[in-house]
């Protein structure tokens, strides 16, 4: 199964940048969310979320 980290990372980074520049989100909020993501990756819930994301991406790739 192909890794979906980079294809998902790019739009999420773009969304964070857009919200930071245009949506009034502070840079500190963006950094806190990024830090939360890094810490969340080390929890027991990370494999379940990874599996769910892979399932959704697989389902979307079947539609297109």
């Amino acid at each position: 199964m192909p890794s979906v980290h980079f294809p998902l990372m790019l739009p999420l980074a773009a969304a964070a940048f857009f919200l930071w520049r245009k949506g009034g989100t502070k840079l500190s909020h963006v950094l806190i969310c990024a830090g939360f993501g890094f810490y969340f990756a080390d929890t027991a819930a990370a494999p379940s979320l990874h599996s769910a994301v892979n399932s959704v991406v697989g389902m979307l790739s079947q539609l297109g």
Side-chain angles (χ1 to χ4, degrees):
M1 176 161 290
S3 177
V4 295
H5 290 244
F6 188 72
L8 285 178
M9 186 180 73
L10 215 52
L12 288 174
F17 180 76
F18 178 76
L19 288 172
W20 174 49
R21 297 293 290 171
K22 304 290 183 194
T25 303
K26 297 178 182 177
L27 180 60
S28 61
H29 298 155
V30 173
L31 294 175
I32 288 169
C33 289
F36 175 74
F38 283 115
Y39 282 110
F40 183 78
D42 286 337
T43 66
S48 299
L49 181 63
H50 184 71
S51 175
V53 169
N54 280 336
S55 297
V56 170
V57 169
M59 182 178 65
L60 291 175
S61 68
Q62 295 293 325
L63 294 175

